[in-house]
Amino acid sequence: MPELPEVETIKRDLGERMIGEKISRVQVKDFRAVKGSSSFSKKVSGKVVKGIDRRGKLLILELGDDAYILIHLKMTGQLIYCHNQEMIAGGHTLNKEDPVENVGGELPNKHTRVVFYFLSGDKLFFNDMRRFGYIKLLSGKDKEDKLKELGPEPLIKDFNLKTFQENLRKRKVAVKKALLDQKLVAGIGNIYADEALFSAGIRPDRPAEGLSEEEIKKLHKSIKGILKKGVEYRGTTFNNYVDGQGKQGGFSRLLKVYGREGEKCPNCKGYIKKIRLAGRGTHYCPECQR
DNA sequence: AAGATTGTTGCTTA
DNA sequence: TTAAGCAACAATCT
């Protein structure tokens, strides 16, 4: 599930390789993957990728002429860039047991929804098993309007402690649910929400409004720390995520609670418990999260 | 073989 | 009026 660190990793991978490339054509294999797109290929063909950006979990390709492509990977989306003569790798569903190197498979595969062809012969594959993700072409203004719906970016100054505190104070919902709300902070999903709360020592089901000033401060710091580490390790591969080269993320083995139901807590004598909260699988240690 | 998996939206309910 | 709650969506795995 691509969250901020995964999307950031993809952004960096693609940025290095794709900026300056001219799109020659786009093959839309599944029309549902491209929102409002009868003439998507026509509109973007001939344009050069001028820049690539990320906001929350959204990826933004800048094409010039006031044209921007927004990409949301949702649950199972993948973006894999292949150089002209490069061996095609990546793109299949991973098992936990798979060694990191064991990522292979031909592209396109049966989950490939869109293929961008570049003048250089390079290709960009958009794969999405569950078909939740989307690609959308927008004007600069429409793009800005869309981005305005998102809360602050947690890894830059944007993420103000005071505002964070004020927003949490206003909410009666469980703190985990608040963290998943993209208007509060952009980019946190189920995995990093659980990890940040563990790091802060706060139970996920605590009402947000009931957190002390000190706890909020700690949570604020934990969010930044966990996300930063996630980026550092190139994201978490749990099910489907792969980076821009089709490789798994390295943060998976550093997860302390997510997916570790029944295992011993890394901090204390407790055991990791799993509950259902805000409709999501939620992992925490009942001993050291209070 | 039903239930779990999750990000976001849009509808309903309070 | 605003917020909170929840179904819906999609395909695959256990």
Side-chain angles (χ1 to χ4, degrees):
Chain A
M1 307 122 237
E3 305 177 28
L4 185 149
E6 291 75 35
V7 181
E8 177 65 22
T9 301
I10 292 170
K11 181 203 122 179
R12 292 178 184 183
D13 288 353
L14 297 185
E16 277 177 24
R17 316 169 112 202
M18 193 165 54
I19 289 176
E21 295 287 342
K22 185 181 265 192
I23 299 167
S24 57
R25 71 189 174 94
V26 180
Q27 182 187 18
V28 180
K29 297 165 81 78
D30 178 358
F31 70 94
R32 284 171 292 181
V34 182
K35 281 194 183 176
S37 70
S38 43
S39 51
F40 180 79
S41 177
K42 210 173 184 178
K43 283 178 182 157
V44 304
S45 295
K47 292 201 191 303
V48 173
V49 180
K50 308 265 195 207
I52 182 162
D53 216 340
R54 179 196 58 76
R55 184 79 170 80
K57 302 170 193 172
L58 269 173
L59 208 60
I60 303 141
L61 305 185
E62 184 192 344
L63 301 183
D65 301 325
D66 198 38
Y68 297 84
I69 296 176
L70 262 60
I71 304 176
H72 202 305
L73 300 172
K74 291 283 182 90
M75 307 258 319
T76 57
Q78 304 174 329
L79 283 170
I80 302 170
Y81 194 89
C82 294
H83 277 309
N84 200 355
Q85 280 127 346
E86 189 176 49
M87 278 258 288
I88 289 175
H92 76 143
T93 300
L94 303 162
N95 300 312
K96 264 198 213 167
E97 298 76 24
D98 284 347
V100 172
E101 296 77 20
N102 185 19
V103 181
E106 292 276 312
L107 286 172
N109 62 32
K110 67 173 176 172
H111 302 306
T112 301
R113 310 298 176 200
V114 180
V115 188
F116 290 80
Y117 295 90
F118 296 94
L119 218 54
S120 60
D122 293 358
K123 294 172 195 149
L124 176 67
F125 294 91
F126 173 63
N127 302 329
D128 188 16
M129 184 180 78
R130 302 272 288 274
R131 299 181 199 256
F132 268 34
Y134 64 84
I135 295 178
K136 196 173 186 180
L137 182 65
L138 290 176
S139 69
K141 187 188 179 309
D142 289 347
K143 177 205 71 161
E144 286 307 318
D145 287 348
K146 182 83 190 163
L147 297 188
K148 271 184 205 148
E149 295 168 11
L150 295 172
E153 276 298 314
L155 293 186
I156 57 178
K157 285 185 206 139
D158 210 19
F159 187 36
N160 179 278
L161 174 60
K162 210 168 171 184
T163 315
F164 183 55
Q165 187 175 95
E166 282 165 9
N167 287 331
L168 284 176
R169 286 271 159 82
K170 280 189 270 183
R171 297 175 180 247
K172 303 179 199 303
V173 292
V175 57
K176 164 151 177 181
K177 191 173 183 206
L179 291 185
L180 293 175
D181 184 347
Q182 303 299 298
K183 289 190 204 78
L184 194 86
V185 192
I188 300 176
N190 204 35
I191 295 175
Y192 294 97
D194 282 3
E195 293 297 316
L197 286 164
F198 175 79
S199 166
I202 298 169
R203 284 177 70 114
D205 56 354
R206 289 267 303 280
E209 63 177 1
L211 296 184
S212 72
E213 194 171 334
E214 199 179 330
E215 286 173 321
I216 293 174
K217 205 167 167 184
K218 206 165 177 188
L219 181 58
H220 184 257
K221 199 173 169 187
S222 293
I223 289 169
K224 290 188 288 181
I226 292 288
L227 291 176
K228 202 173 150 202
K229 208 151 197 186
V231 172
E232 213 173 288
Y233 284 85
R234 304 181 53 78
T236 302
T237 297
F238 202 76
N239 289 317
N240 287 266
Y241 166 73
V242 291
D243 66 21
Q245 283 116 200
K247 292 180 184 151
Q248 298 193 33
F251 195 67
S252 321
R253 63 195 169 79
L254 299 182
L255 294 175
K256 298 198 169 170
V257 288
Y258 187 87
R260 298 202 184 280
E261 180 187 15
E263 290 183 33
K264 208 165 167 309
C265 171
N267 272 4
C268 71
K269 290 180 179 172
Y271 288 85
I272 304 305
K273 195 176 169 189
K274 181 175 178 184
I275 58 167
R276 209 163 174 78
L277 186 59
R280 301 285 173 258
T282 299
H283 315 71
Y284 72 102
C285 171
E287 295 296 323
C288 60
Q289 287 176 262
R290 298 283 167 181

